[in-house]
Amino acid sequence: MKRDLSIETRSLRRLFKGVPGAGDVVALDSVDLSVEEGEIFGLLGPNGAGKTTLIKILATLLLPTSGEAYVKGLEVVKNAPKIRRLINLVSGGETPGYGILSVKENLWFFSQLYGLSRDGARDRIKQLTDQLGLDTYVDSRMSKLSTGYKQRLNLARGFINNPAVLFLDEPTLGLDVLSAKQLRTFIRSWMADGTKTVLLTTHYMAEADEMCNRVGIIDRGKVLACDTPQRLKMKLASRPSWKIEITPNIQDLDSVRTIQGIVGLSETSNIETGASTLKLVLEDESVMSSLLSKISQNGSKVLAMSKSEPTLEDVYISLVGRGLQ
């Protein structure tokens, strides 16, 4: 049964004024998107793809240039005050409050902005600090917290009003592996009643694959694909995905991209070893001979090769021709 929509955009555009003579910058280009109640929806793409711009419009922090956007059926321009009572926003790396205030004082301040009662605020602060591992730091000044614990406080602030729609813009930035796992567990528990909705942006493909009911892949302001992680990967099953480690790296990577039959290519470099890892999506296996010949012509040596099942990053590479790095 189809649920009510928590988020909807129709032909949404956002332009930013560019430098004189260069024209406007298109941050969002006719974005049509729908997110159902109870869904964790992931938005994937590189820096500058339009993810944060979209979230800011939905969170009533930025006006659209044209098109429409709705949160819980409310249009974002006309109903901003009503929407703000229903949502919250957490951005990775953001300062979570006031440095001279303690963890508890910061959370109390934000609870009062949302109109929580005295007893309700105390209970909510106790619950969140316990669940997010802040219980031993409740009386510590925010300015004295480590980066990881500041982000935990940032997350607690985002949940303080128990929002109907929560926007998480790279929420695990600055968190260690264990803390990020605890956060994912907490989000799933918080959403158990099926009435909450999360829009998540992340650069971590495994995080999106694990958490999201559906994901949208966005690049240069356009949504290129939208489906469940499994279906997106299934669509790529007929195209071989390879990982090749070489040394030294290829200086002219664009010459490799032009090899006929390479659908997409990304490269990551290891500063310590000087080796590079190429991730490739190919039309078929016959491309490998031309690829290995090009690597040899570059003077590079193949250290390791492995074929892999398609990942979300492979899906992205196949759609835009490059990786997230």
Side-chain angles (χ1 to χ4, degrees):
M1 184 176 69
K2 188 174 181 179
R3 299 184 179 219
D4 293 334
L5 294 181
S6 288
I7 296 169
E8 183 180 13
T9 67
R10 303 172 188 168
S11 302
L12 191 67
R13 284 176 59 84
R14 173 66 201 198
L15 306 179
F16 290 100
K17 291 292 183 183
V19 296
D24 294 338
V25 176
V26 181
L28 294 175
D29 190 0
S30 300
V31 172
D32 294 316
L33 197 66
S34 60
V35 180
E36 294 184 4
E37 182 179 82
E39 189 173 22
I40 302 179
F41 187 91
L43 200 58
L44 311 179
N47 291 330
K51 305 185 301 295
T52 299
T53 298
L54 178 59
I55 282 184
K56 285 184 175 181
I57 289 174
L58 293 169
T60 74
L61 299 176
L62 190 66
L63 292 173
T65 301
S66 63
E68 299 172 291
Y70 298 86
V71 176
K72 302 301 286 186
L74 300 170
E75 205 276 326
V76 296
V77 177
K78 298 176 182 177
N79 299 284
K82 292 181 180 178
I83 290 173
R84 288 169 186 164
R85 290 195 287 267
L86 302 173
I87 66 172
N88 213 323
L89 166 64
V90 175
S91 297
E94 182 181 61
T95 301
Y98 297 93
I100 62 171
L101 299 182
S102 68
V103 166
K104 182 166 59 178
E105 288 168 339
N106 269 295
L107 291 176
W108 176 265
F109 171 77
F110 287 108
S111 74
Q112 298 312 290
L113 292 181
Y114 281 101
L116 273 67
S117 68
R118 181 183 297 271
D119 290 341
R122 285 175 176 170
D123 291 344
R124 188 68 175 151
I125 291 169
K126 179 67 166 63
Q127 178 188 31
L128 289 170
T129 53
D130 287 348
Q131 291 177 326
L132 292 170
L134 286 163
D135 48 316
T136 57
Y137 295 91
V138 290
D139 295 317
S140 300
R141 284 189 177 187
M142 188 275 284
S143 60
K144 300 296 183 182
L145 298 179
S146 67
T147 300
Y149 277 93
K150 284 180 181 177
Q151 183 59 5
R152 293 189 191 203
L153 174 56
N154 198 14
L155 292 162
R157 178 195 56 74
F159 286 101
I160 194 70
N161 63 321
N162 198 22
V165 180
L166 179 62
F167 300 102
L168 296 175
D169 193 8
E170 298 189 48
T172 54
L173 188 68
L175 294 182
D176 57 55
V177 174
L178 180 58
S179 296
K181 183 177 180 180
Q182 290 172 340
L183 169 62
R184 292 192 289 269
T185 300
F186 176 73
I187 291 173
R188 283 192 290 265
S189 174
W190 175 71
M191 296 189 68
D193 66 359
T195 65
K196 306 294 192 297
T197 304
V198 168
L199 178 59
L200 167 73
T201 77
T202 179
H203 281 101
Y204 304 128
M205 296 294 102
E207 183 172 82
D209 205 350
E210 176 187 345
M211 292 189 65
C212 297
N213 304 102
R214 291 186 303 140
V215 297
I217 295 177
I218 186 171
D219 185 49
R220 296 187 175 99
K222 286 183 174 291
V223 175
L224 306 177
C226 181
D227 212 329
T228 68
Q230 188 60 32
R231 286 176 186 158
L232 286 172
K233 289 183 287 185
M234 285 176 61
K235 292 175 183 177
L236 202 63
S238 63
R239 290 178 166 176
S241 298
W242 281 87
K243 184 183 293 185
I244 304 176
E245 187 177 358
I246 64 172
T247 187
N249 65 348
I250 296 177
Q251 298 298 318
D252 184 13
L253 203 61
D254 287 338
S255 67
V256 179
R257 296 183 196 277
T258 60
I259 295 176
Q260 187 172 1
I262 292 182
V263 178
L265 165 66
S266 73
E267 179 193 32
T268 54
S269 299
N270 187 316
I271 298 176
E272 294 181 357
T273 64
S276 293
T277 299
L278 304 178
K279 292 183 179 180
L280 302 111
V281 179
L282 311 177
E283 287 284 359
D284 54 60
E285 302 289 3
S286 65
V287 183
M288 287 300 295
S289 59
S290 298
L291 174 63
L292 294 175
S293 176
K294 176 66 75 171
I295 291 173
S296 177
Q297 292 173 16
N298 182 71
S300 300
K301 178 181 178 182
V302 175
L303 303 178
M305 294 176 58
S306 61
K307 191 175 180 181
S308 60
E309 292 296 317
T311 65
L312 281 180
E313 186 170 3
D314 293 331
V315 173
Y316 185 87
I317 291 170
S318 72
L319 288 169
V320 302
R322 66 188 192 282
L324 290 167
Q325 289 76 20

